Amino acid sequence: MSRLVIDQVTVHYPGAARGVAALQDVSLVIDPEQLVVALGPSGCGKTTLLNLIAGFLQPTSGRILLDDRLVSGPSAERGVVFQDDALLPWLNVLDNVAFGLQLRGLPGAEREATARRTLQLVDLQEFEQHPIWQLSGGMRQRVGLARGLAADPRVLLLDEPFAALDAFTREQMQELLLRLWRKTRKQIFLITHDLEEAVFLATDLILLSPRPGRVAERMKLDFGHRHANGESARSIKSDPRFIETREHVLSLVFAQREVSTT
Amino acid sequence: MTPTEMSIGDNSRSTAFASEQAPARPAGNFLLSVNTISTLTIIFLLVVWWATTTAGLIAPLFLPSPQAVLGKFWLVTTKGFMDSTLWQHLAASLGRVVCALIAAVVLAIPTGIAIGLSRIAQGVLDPLIELYRPVPPLAYLPLIVIWFGIGELSKVLLIFLAIYAPIAIATAGGVRQVSQNRLRAAQSLGATRVQLLRYVVLPSAVPDILTGIRIGLGTGWSTLVAAELVAATSGLGFMVQSAAQFLVTDVVILGIAVIAIIAFALELSLRALSRRLAPWREQGIS
């Protein structure tokens, strides 16, 4: 099982105001079977953090290790699901899901079998021959998830995956993500600015604060576990403990705001 | 080609919403579709043409009647004009344009990819293309004749140059506009640089390449007459010019009409090809 270590990472963007780091001394460990959610307002560096882990970006100082090996660029061991699905419109649903396996050089029959199995996980088996531009936003996002999972990465990174969806679809997608997490036992790193989503999904919640982007708070939560163990989303989200936690995180966000504005 | 078909192509964009997706029309609009109006316009023009010429308002030397042109059409297709039938003229012209097009596609797409991907290629090739592209083909035709003589090569080369630039420029634009997230998605699925080019960049640029070919073919076709100024013995451009020298106005009009219809047919078929190969563009996905 893999272990992802982010070790005192700092990022300065070239040309940005002197002294203000996009990320400052961020350290984080993502262990097997964890679902780590980074929550924060825009500008807190959560996208930067995800891009670093994905290897799209190099830290100014500090390092990122996956199983003690330095992350130096994008690779198939760290799959990414994007907010705008980033699917390939000239391929149908099945070929999009099989794309990672195609890049790996797997023979057609084998990759299609894997893609079909993965599509079943996200309940899209009936749509495998559809062009992706005929699907709704939520379905496209499920194809994106399936594409990430089919390549069997060690870590799955999700960049505000449900932010563009309507509230009903978003809740369904959150439940789907928890089911997938439970079934595949992948470790997941997700960024979001949706507070309820963060509290509901996270086993480990990281609260980021802006200018400079740094970790303001960490907490362990178990609502995602509870849902994965069969409790319904509605019952969890109306549980007083859930509401209390959500309000607590909200007050932390506001406290951060006051600190940064004064 | 009937006027109806012509108007369908002309208005495919504006009617996409009006007629295919929403049968209901906005209030206050009258009941004729854009296609019908376009068809009526063309019929009206034909009627005016027929009426003025039949009434003898214009001398046939300046404007022959539609019947005369149709009669000439029959004569030129069966007996020929300047030693070739209409189909032979058409085949000669199409042959030149197709040769030039194939050469342009084969050379311009790699050029465009290089410009889009590499700063050095962009620095070297961009100014060359941008310098010659705005020059009218008739202006550099004499130089091409001095360098390459008056044979087929010069004619094809002139058309080639007209087609090459738009395709190269459009390809470079398409390559540069590839969505960053698509590239990143492929990278995080393990794509190598070659795989990125083959599986993401090239397919992403296909719609732009097709647009380039469409524009290039348009300019190439309009360069045809210029190309056939030079010692040609067949071709539509040659036919029109020699007819003009003998003041055979009906052949001039016939030639122009055939050139127009072919240009329009090329345009329509490339649009159809574009819709077939990149249907997602119609859905607003880049």
Side-chain angles (χ1 to χ4, degrees), chain B residues 41-97:
Chain B
T41 308
I42 288 164
I43 291 172
F44 175 74
L45 279 175
L46 287 173
V47 168
V48 170
W49 179 18
W50 171 81
T52 46
T53 47
T54 311
L57 295 174
I58 302 175
L61 176 66
F62 295 108
L63 185 65
S65 67
Q67 309 90 289
V69 173
L70 264 183
K72 238 344 186 268
F73 171 73
W74 181 246
L75 207 68
V76 176
T77 44
T78 51
K79 295 242 168 65
F81 180 80
M82 301 295 286
D83 301 328
S84 305
T85 65
L86 181 63
W87 306 129
Q88 284 167 331
H89 285 302
L90 179 60
S93 292
L94 275 179
R96 287 173 190 134
V97 172

Short mmCIF file of all heavy atoms in Angstrom, two decimals, chain B residues 41-97:
data_model
loop_
_atom_site.label_atom_id
_atom_site.label_comp_id
_atom_site.label_asym_id
_atom_site.label_seq_id
_atom_site.Cartn_x
_atom_site.Cartn_y
_atom_site.Cartn_z
N THR B 41 -35.32 34.47 -53.45
CA THR B 41 -34.43 35.51 -53.95
C THR B 41 -33.79 35.06 -55.26
O THR B 41 -33.73 35.82 -56.24
CB THR B 41 -33.32 35.80 -52.92
OG1 THR B 41 -33.93 36.06 -51.67
CG2 THR B 41 -32.47 36.99 -53.33
N ILE B 42 -33.28 33.83 -55.27
CA ILE B 42 -32.60 33.33 -56.46
C ILE B 42 -33.58 33.19 -57.63
O ILE B 42 -33.29 33.59 -58.76
CB ILE B 42 -31.89 32.00 -56.15
CG1 ILE B 42 -30.67 32.30 -55.26
CG2 ILE B 42 -31.44 31.30 -57.43
CD1 ILE B 42 -30.09 31.11 -54.57
N ILE B 43 -34.77 32.69 -57.34
CA ILE B 43 -35.78 32.57 -58.39
C ILE B 43 -36.13 33.96 -58.95
O ILE B 43 -36.19 34.17 -60.15
CB ILE B 43 -37.06 31.87 -57.86
CG1 ILE B 43 -36.73 30.40 -57.57
CG2 ILE B 43 -38.21 31.98 -58.85
CD1 ILE B 43 -37.85 29.65 -56.87
N PHE B 44 -36.26 34.93 -58.04
CA PHE B 44 -36.56 36.31 -58.45
C PHE B 44 -35.47 36.84 -59.38
O PHE B 44 -35.76 37.41 -60.45
CB PHE B 44 -36.68 37.19 -57.20
CG PHE B 44 -36.89 38.65 -57.48
CD1 PHE B 44 -38.12 39.12 -57.94
CD2 PHE B 44 -35.86 39.55 -57.31
CE1 PHE B 44 -38.31 40.46 -58.22
CE2 PHE B 44 -36.04 40.90 -57.59
CZ PHE B 44 -37.27 41.35 -58.04
N LEU B 45 -34.21 36.63 -59.03
CA LEU B 45 -33.11 37.11 -59.86
C LEU B 45 -33.16 36.46 -61.25
O LEU B 45 -32.97 37.14 -62.27
CB LEU B 45 -31.77 36.79 -59.19
CG LEU B 45 -31.33 37.78 -58.11
CD1 LEU B 45 -30.05 37.30 -57.44
CD2 LEU B 45 -31.12 39.16 -58.72
N LEU B 46 -33.42 35.15 -61.28
CA LEU B 46 -33.50 34.45 -62.57
C LEU B 46 -34.63 35.02 -63.43
O LEU B 46 -34.46 35.21 -64.63
CB LEU B 46 -33.71 32.94 -62.33
CG LEU B 46 -32.49 32.16 -61.81
CD1 LEU B 46 -32.89 30.74 -61.44
CD2 LEU B 46 -31.38 32.15 -62.86
N VAL B 47 -35.76 35.30 -62.76
CA VAL B 47 -36.90 35.85 -63.50
C VAL B 47 -36.57 37.23 -64.06
O VAL B 47 -36.85 37.52 -65.23
CB VAL B 47 -38.16 35.90 -62.59
CG1 VAL B 47 -39.26 36.74 -63.25
CG2 VAL B 47 -38.66 34.51 -62.29
N VAL B 48 -35.91 38.08 -63.26
CA VAL B 48 -35.53 39.42 -63.73
C VAL B 48 -34.56 39.30 -64.91
O VAL B 48 -34.70 39.99 -65.93
CB VAL B 48 -34.88 40.23 -62.58
CG1 VAL B 48 -34.26 41.52 -63.12
CG2 VAL B 48 -35.91 40.55 -61.51
N TRP B 49 -33.62 38.37 -64.78
CA TRP B 49 -32.65 38.12 -65.86
C TRP B 49 -33.40 37.74 -67.14
O TRP B 49 -33.18 38.29 -68.20
CB TRP B 49 -31.67 37.03 -65.38
CG TRP B 49 -30.62 36.64 -66.40
CD1 TRP B 49 -30.22 37.33 -67.50
CD2 TRP B 49 -29.85 35.43 -66.37
NE1 TRP B 49 -29.26 36.64 -68.17
CE2 TRP B 49 -29.00 35.47 -67.50
CE3 TRP B 49 -29.78 34.34 -65.52
CZ2 TRP B 49 -28.09 34.46 -67.79
CZ3 TRP B 49 -28.88 33.33 -65.80
CH2 TRP B 49 -28.04 33.39 -66.92
N TRP B 50 -34.31 36.76 -66.98
CA TRP B 50 -35.05 36.27 -68.14
C TRP B 50 -35.90 37.40 -68.76
O TRP B 50 -35.89 37.61 -69.96
CB TRP B 50 -35.94 35.10 -67.71
CG TRP B 50 -36.91 34.67 -68.76
CD1 TRP B 50 -36.67 33.86 -69.83
CD2 TRP B 50 -38.29 35.05 -68.85
NE1 TRP B 50 -37.78 33.71 -70.59
CE2 TRP B 50 -38.81 34.43 -70.00
CE3 TRP B 50 -39.12 35.86 -68.07
CZ2 TRP B 50 -40.14 34.59 -70.40
CZ3 TRP B 50 -40.44 36.01 -68.47
CH2 TRP B 50 -40.95 35.39 -69.62
N ALA B 51 -36.57 38.17 -67.88
CA ALA B 51 -37.48 39.21 -68.37
C ALA B 51 -36.73 40.30 -69.12
O ALA B 51 -37.11 40.68 -70.23
CB ALA B 51 -38.27 39.80 -67.20
N THR B 52 -35.64 40.79 -68.54
CA THR B 52 -34.92 41.90 -69.19
C THR B 52 -34.31 41.47 -70.51
O THR B 52 -34.34 42.23 -71.48
CB THR B 52 -33.79 42.43 -68.28
OG1 THR B 52 -33.09 41.31 -67.75
CG2 THR B 52 -34.32 43.29 -67.17
N THR B 53 -33.78 40.25 -70.56
CA THR B 53 -33.14 39.82 -71.81
C THR B 53 -34.19 39.49 -72.87
O THR B 53 -34.01 39.83 -74.04
CB THR B 53 -32.23 38.61 -71.58
OG1 THR B 53 -32.92 37.64 -70.79
CG2 THR B 53 -30.96 39.02 -70.88
N THR B 54 -35.29 38.86 -72.46
CA THR B 54 -36.31 38.49 -73.44
C THR B 54 -37.00 39.73 -73.99
O THR B 54 -37.35 39.80 -75.17
CB THR B 54 -37.36 37.55 -72.81
OG1 THR B 54 -36.67 36.51 -72.13
CG2 THR B 54 -38.28 36.96 -73.86
N ALA B 55 -37.17 40.76 -73.15
CA ALA B 55 -37.80 42.00 -73.59
C ALA B 55 -36.86 42.83 -74.46
O ALA B 55 -37.24 43.86 -74.99
CB ALA B 55 -38.26 42.82 -72.39
N GLY B 56 -35.61 42.37 -74.59
CA GLY B 56 -34.65 43.09 -75.43
C GLY B 56 -34.12 44.37 -74.82
O GLY B 56 -33.68 45.26 -75.52
N LEU B 57 -34.19 44.49 -73.49
CA LEU B 57 -33.70 45.70 -72.82
C LEU B 57 -32.17 45.78 -72.82
O LEU B 57 -31.59 46.84 -72.74
CB LEU B 57 -34.23 45.76 -71.39
CG LEU B 57 -35.75 45.91 -71.23
CD1 LEU B 57 -36.16 45.82 -69.78
CD2 LEU B 57 -36.22 47.22 -71.85
N ILE B 58 -31.53 44.60 -72.87
CA ILE B 58 -30.07 44.57 -72.86
C ILE B 58 -29.59 43.77 -74.07
O ILE B 58 -30.15 42.71 -74.37
CB ILE B 58 -29.53 43.92 -71.56
CG1 ILE B 58 -30.04 44.69 -70.33
CG2 ILE B 58 -28.01 43.89 -71.55
CD1 ILE B 58 -29.66 44.06 -69.03
N ALA B 59 -28.59 44.27 -74.73
CA ALA B 59 -28.06 43.56 -75.90
C ALA B 59 -27.43 42.24 -75.46
O ALA B 59 -26.75 42.21 -74.43
CB ALA B 59 -27.03 44.42 -76.60
N PRO B 60 -27.63 41.13 -76.20
CA PRO B 60 -27.07 39.82 -75.84
C PRO B 60 -25.55 39.86 -75.69
O PRO B 60 -24.97 39.07 -74.96
CB PRO B 60 -27.48 38.93 -77.01
CG PRO B 60 -28.61 39.61 -77.67
CD PRO B 60 -28.43 41.07 -77.43
N LEU B 61 -24.90 40.81 -76.36
CA LEU B 61 -23.44 40.91 -76.21
C LEU B 61 -23.06 41.17 -74.76
O LEU B 61 -22.07 40.66 -74.25
CB LEU B 61 -22.92 42.05 -77.09
CG LEU B 61 -21.43 42.35 -76.96
CD1 LEU B 61 -20.60 41.16 -77.46
CD2 LEU B 61 -21.05 43.62 -77.71
N PHE B 62 -23.90 41.99 -74.06
CA PHE B 62 -23.59 42.30 -72.66
C PHE B 62 -24.20 41.28 -71.72
O PHE B 62 -23.55 40.85 -70.77
CB PHE B 62 -24.09 43.71 -72.31
CG PHE B 62 -23.38 44.77 -73.08
CD1 PHE B 62 -24.02 45.47 -74.09
CD2 PHE B 62 -22.04 45.04 -72.82
CE1 PHE B 62 -23.34 46.43 -74.82
CE2 PHE B 62 -21.36 46.00 -73.55
CZ PHE B 62 -22.01 46.70 -74.55
N LEU B 63 -25.44 40.91 -71.99
CA LEU B 63 -26.08 39.92 -71.12
C LEU B 63 -26.97 39.01 -71.96
O LEU B 63 -28.09 39.38 -72.29
CB LEU B 63 -26.91 40.61 -70.02
CG LEU B 63 -27.51 39.66 -68.98
CD1 LEU B 63 -26.43 38.96 -68.17
CD2 LEU B 63 -28.47 40.40 -68.05
N PRO B 64 -26.48 37.82 -72.29
CA PRO B 64 -27.30 36.88 -73.05
C PRO B 64 -28.41 36.32 -72.17
O PRO B 64 -28.30 36.33 -70.94
CB PRO B 64 -26.33 35.79 -73.48
CG PRO B 64 -25.17 35.91 -72.55
CD PRO B 64 -25.15 37.29 -72.01
N SER B 65 -29.46 35.83 -72.77
CA SER B 65 -30.59 35.32 -71.98
C SER B 65 -30.24 33.99 -71.32
O SER B 65 -29.33 33.29 -71.77
CB SER B 65 -31.79 35.13 -72.91
OG SER B 65 -31.50 34.08 -73.82
N PRO B 66 -30.99 33.64 -70.27
CA PRO B 66 -30.75 32.34 -69.62
C PRO B 66 -30.89 31.18 -70.60
O PRO B 66 -30.12 30.21 -70.53
CB PRO B 66 -31.81 32.27 -68.53
CG PRO B 66 -32.43 33.60 -68.43
CD PRO B 66 -32.03 34.42 -69.61
N GLN B 67 -31.85 31.30 -71.53
CA GLN B 67 -32.03 30.22 -72.51
C GLN B 67 -30.77 30.07 -73.34
O GLN B 67 -30.31 28.95 -73.61
CB GLN B 67 -33.20 30.51 -73.46
CG GLN B 67 -34.53 30.89 -72.84
CD GLN B 67 -34.65 32.38 -72.65
OE1 GLN B 67 -33.98 32.94 -71.79
NE2 GLN B 67 -35.52 33.04 -73.43
N ALA B 68 -30.18 31.22 -73.74
CA ALA B 68 -28.98 31.16 -74.57
C ALA B 68 -27.83 30.49 -73.82
O ALA B 68 -27.08 29.68 -74.38
CB ALA B 68 -28.57 32.58 -74.98
N VAL B 69 -27.72 30.82 -72.54
CA VAL B 69 -26.64 30.23 -71.74
C VAL B 69 -26.87 28.73 -71.60
O VAL B 69 -25.94 27.93 -71.74
CB VAL B 69 -26.54 30.90 -70.36
CG1 VAL B 69 -25.54 30.18 -69.48
CG2 VAL B 69 -26.15 32.36 -70.50
N LEU B 70 -28.14 28.34 -71.37
CA LEU B 70 -28.45 26.92 -71.26
C LEU B 70 -28.15 26.20 -72.57
O LEU B 70 -27.58 25.10 -72.58
CB LEU B 70 -29.93 26.73 -70.90
CG LEU B 70 -30.23 26.54 -69.41
CD1 LEU B 70 -31.73 26.29 -69.22
CD2 LEU B 70 -29.44 25.38 -68.85
N GLY B 71 -28.51 26.86 -73.67
CA GLY B 71 -28.23 26.27 -74.98
C GLY B 71 -26.74 26.09 -75.17
O GLY B 71 -26.27 25.05 -75.66
N LYS B 72 -25.98 27.11 -74.75
CA LYS B 72 -24.52 27.04 -74.87
C LYS B 72 -23.98 25.90 -74.01
O LYS B 72 -23.04 25.19 -74.39
CB LYS B 72 -23.92 28.37 -74.41
CG LYS B 72 -23.05 29.16 -75.42
CD LYS B 72 -22.58 28.40 -76.59
CE LYS B 72 -21.62 29.17 -77.44
NZ LYS B 72 -22.22 29.92 -78.52
N PHE B 73 -24.61 25.72 -72.84
CA PHE B 73 -24.21 24.65 -71.93
C PHE B 73 -24.28 23.30 -72.66
O PHE B 73 -23.35 22.51 -72.65
CB PHE B 73 -25.12 24.65 -70.70
CG PHE B 73 -24.94 23.46 -69.79
CD1 PHE B 73 -23.82 23.35 -68.98
CD2 PHE B 73 -25.89 22.45 -69.75
CE1 PHE B 73 -23.65 22.26 -68.15
CE2 PHE B 73 -25.73 21.35 -68.93
CZ PHE B 73 -24.61 21.26 -68.13
N TRP B 74 -25.38 23.10 -73.35
CA TRP B 74 -25.57 21.86 -74.11
C TRP B 74 -24.50 21.75 -75.20
O TRP B 74 -23.84 20.71 -75.35
CB TRP B 74 -26.97 21.85 -74.71
CG TRP B 74 -27.26 20.60 -75.49
CD1 TRP B 74 -27.49 20.50 -76.83
CD2 TRP B 74 -27.30 19.27 -74.98
NE1 TRP B 74 -27.68 19.20 -77.19
CE2 TRP B 74 -27.57 18.42 -76.07
CE3 TRP B 74 -27.14 18.72 -73.70
CZ2 TRP B 74 -27.68 17.04 -75.94
CZ3 TRP B 74 -27.25 17.35 -73.56
CH2 TRP B 74 -27.51 16.52 -74.67
N LEU B 75 -24.28 22.83 -75.91
CA LEU B 75 -23.32 22.85 -77.02
C LEU B 75 -21.91 22.56 -76.53
O LEU B 75 -21.16 21.76 -77.11
CB LEU B 75 -23.38 24.23 -77.69
CG LEU B 75 -22.99 24.25 -79.17
CD1 LEU B 75 -24.04 23.51 -79.99
CD2 LEU B 75 -22.84 25.70 -79.64
N VAL B 76 -21.54 23.25 -75.42
CA VAL B 76 -20.16 23.11 -74.92
C VAL B 76 -19.94 21.72 -74.32
O VAL B 76 -18.85 21.16 -74.42
CB VAL B 76 -19.83 24.22 -73.89
CG1 VAL B 76 -18.44 24.03 -73.30
CG2 VAL B 76 -19.91 25.58 -74.56
N THR B 77 -21.00 21.15 -73.71
CA THR B 77 -20.78 19.80 -73.14
C THR B 77 -20.71 18.75 -74.25
O THR B 77 -20.00 17.76 -74.10
CB THR B 77 -21.93 19.41 -72.19
OG1 THR B 77 -23.16 19.75 -72.79
CG2 THR B 77 -21.80 20.07 -70.84
N THR B 78 -21.42 18.96 -75.36
CA THR B 78 -21.38 17.93 -76.40
C THR B 78 -20.29 18.22 -77.43
O THR B 78 -19.44 17.36 -77.71
CB THR B 78 -22.74 17.85 -77.13
OG1 THR B 78 -23.12 19.17 -77.54
CG2 THR B 78 -23.80 17.27 -76.22
N LYS B 79 -20.25 19.45 -77.96
CA LYS B 79 -19.31 19.75 -79.05
C LYS B 79 -17.98 20.32 -78.52
O LYS B 79 -16.94 20.15 -79.14
CB LYS B 79 -19.93 20.76 -80.00
CG LYS B 79 -21.16 20.22 -80.72
CD LYS B 79 -20.94 20.20 -82.23
CE LYS B 79 -22.01 19.40 -82.95
NZ LYS B 79 -23.36 20.01 -82.82
N GLY B 80 -18.06 21.04 -77.39
CA GLY B 80 -16.84 21.59 -76.83
C GLY B 80 -16.60 23.03 -77.23
O GLY B 80 -17.24 23.58 -78.12
N PHE B 81 -15.66 23.67 -76.54
CA PHE B 81 -15.26 25.05 -76.82
C PHE B 81 -13.73 25.09 -76.72
O PHE B 81 -13.15 24.58 -75.75
CB PHE B 81 -15.90 26.00 -75.80
CG PHE B 81 -15.55 27.44 -76.01
CD1 PHE B 81 -16.21 28.19 -76.98
CD2 PHE B 81 -14.57 28.05 -75.25
CE1 PHE B 81 -15.89 29.52 -77.19
CE2 PHE B 81 -14.25 29.38 -75.45
CZ PHE B 81 -14.91 30.12 -76.41
N MET B 82 -13.07 25.67 -77.68
CA MET B 82 -11.61 25.69 -77.75
C MET B 82 -11.04 24.28 -77.59
O MET B 82 -10.22 23.99 -76.73
CB MET B 82 -11.00 26.60 -76.66
CG MET B 82 -11.44 28.04 -76.70
SD MET B 82 -10.93 28.93 -78.17
CE MET B 82 -9.19 29.17 -77.85
N ASP B 83 -11.49 23.38 -78.41
CA ASP B 83 -10.96 22.02 -78.54
C ASP B 83 -11.26 21.09 -77.35
O ASP B 83 -10.79 19.96 -77.32
CB ASP B 83 -9.44 22.01 -78.76
CG ASP B 83 -9.07 22.78 -80.00
OD1 ASP B 83 -9.90 22.78 -80.95
OD2 ASP B 83 -7.99 23.40 -80.03
N SER B 84 -11.99 21.57 -76.32
CA SER B 84 -12.31 20.67 -75.20
C SER B 84 -13.77 20.84 -74.81
O SER B 84 -14.31 21.95 -74.91
CB SER B 84 -11.44 20.98 -73.98
OG SER B 84 -10.09 20.93 -74.30
N THR B 85 -14.39 19.76 -74.35
CA THR B 85 -15.76 19.88 -73.85
C THR B 85 -15.71 20.52 -72.47
O THR B 85 -14.65 20.63 -71.85
CB THR B 85 -16.44 18.52 -73.73
OG1 THR B 85 -15.74 17.77 -72.74
CG2 THR B 85 -16.43 17.77 -75.03
N LEU B 86 -16.90 20.91 -71.99
CA LEU B 86 -16.98 21.52 -70.66
C LEU B 86 -16.40 20.58 -69.60
O LEU B 86 -15.67 21.00 -68.71
CB LEU B 86 -18.45 21.84 -70.34
CG LEU B 86 -18.70 22.50 -68.99
CD1 LEU B 86 -18.03 23.85 -68.91
CD2 LEU B 86 -20.18 22.64 -68.72
N TRP B 87 -16.70 19.28 -69.76
CA TRP B 87 -16.22 18.33 -68.74
C TRP B 87 -14.71 18.22 -68.78
O TRP B 87 -14.07 18.07 -67.74
CB TRP B 87 -16.86 16.95 -68.95
CG TRP B 87 -18.36 17.00 -68.99
CD1 TRP B 87 -19.17 16.48 -69.94
CD2 TRP B 87 -19.22 17.66 -68.05
NE1 TRP B 87 -20.48 16.75 -69.67
CE2 TRP B 87 -20.55 17.47 -68.51
CE3 TRP B 87 -19.01 18.39 -66.88
CZ2 TRP B 87 -21.66 17.99 -67.84
CZ3 TRP B 87 -20.12 18.90 -66.22
CH2 TRP B 87 -21.41 18.69 -66.70
N GLN B 88 -14.12 18.33 -69.97
CA GLN B 88 -12.66 18.28 -70.05
C GLN B 88 -12.02 19.52 -69.41
O GLN B 88 -11.02 19.42 -68.72
CB GLN B 88 -12.21 18.14 -71.51
CG GLN B 88 -12.43 16.72 -72.03
CD GLN B 88 -12.31 16.62 -73.54
OE1 GLN B 88 -12.58 17.58 -74.27
NE2 GLN B 88 -11.94 15.43 -73.99
N HIS B 89 -12.66 20.68 -69.67
CA HIS B 89 -12.17 21.90 -69.00
C HIS B 89 -12.26 21.74 -67.49
O HIS B 89 -11.33 22.06 -66.75
CB HIS B 89 -13.01 23.11 -69.44
CG HIS B 89 -12.71 23.59 -70.82
ND1 HIS B 89 -11.45 23.99 -71.21
CD2 HIS B 89 -13.49 23.74 -71.92
CE1 HIS B 89 -11.47 24.36 -72.47
NE2 HIS B 89 -12.70 24.21 -72.94
N LEU B 90 -13.43 21.24 -67.06
CA LEU B 90 -13.66 21.08 -65.62
C LEU B 90 -12.65 20.10 -65.03
O LEU B 90 -12.04 20.35 -63.98
CB LEU B 90 -15.09 20.57 -65.40
CG LEU B 90 -15.53 20.31 -63.96
CD1 LEU B 90 -15.43 21.59 -63.15
CD2 LEU B 90 -16.95 19.77 -63.91
N ALA B 91 -12.42 18.99 -65.74
CA ALA B 91 -11.48 17.99 -65.24
C ALA B 91 -10.07 18.57 -65.15
O ALA B 91 -9.35 18.33 -64.17
CB ALA B 91 -11.49 16.77 -66.16
N ALA B 92 -9.68 19.37 -66.14
CA ALA B 92 -8.34 19.97 -66.11
C ALA B 92 -8.19 20.87 -64.89
O ALA B 92 -7.20 20.79 -64.15
CB ALA B 92 -8.11 20.76 -67.39
N SER B 93 -9.23 21.71 -64.65
CA SER B 93 -9.16 22.62 -63.50
C SER B 93 -9.16 21.86 -62.19
O SER B 93 -8.33 22.11 -61.31
CB SER B 93 -10.35 23.59 -63.53
OG SER B 93 -10.23 24.46 -64.63
N LEU B 94 -10.09 20.92 -62.07
CA LEU B 94 -10.18 20.15 -60.82
C LEU B 94 -8.88 19.38 -60.58
O LEU B 94 -8.39 19.31 -59.45
CB LEU B 94 -11.36 19.17 -60.87
CG LEU B 94 -12.71 19.74 -60.47
CD1 LEU B 94 -13.79 18.67 -60.60
CD2 LEU B 94 -12.69 20.28 -59.04
N GLY B 95 -8.32 18.84 -61.65
CA GLY B 95 -7.05 18.11 -61.52
C GLY B 95 -5.96 18.97 -60.91
O GLY B 95 -5.26 18.56 -59.98
N ARG B 96 -5.85 20.20 -61.41
CA ARG B 96 -4.83 21.11 -60.87
C ARG B 96 -5.09 21.41 -59.41
O ARG B 96 -4.19 21.37 -58.57
CB ARG B 96 -4.84 22.42 -61.67
CG ARG B 96 -4.23 22.27 -63.04
CD ARG B 96 -4.39 23.52 -63.89
NE ARG B 96 -3.98 23.18 -65.26
CZ ARG B 96 -4.67 23.51 -66.34
NH1 ARG B 96 -5.77 24.22 -66.24
NH2 ARG B 96 -4.24 23.15 -67.53
N VAL B 97 -6.35 21.73 -59.10
CA VAL B 97 -6.67 22.09 -57.71
C VAL B 97 -6.46 20.89 -56.78
O VAL B 97 -5.92 21.04 -55.68
CB VAL B 97 -8.12 22.62 -57.61
CG1 VAL B 97 -8.51 22.80 -56.16
CG2 VAL B 97 -8.24 23.93 -58.34
#
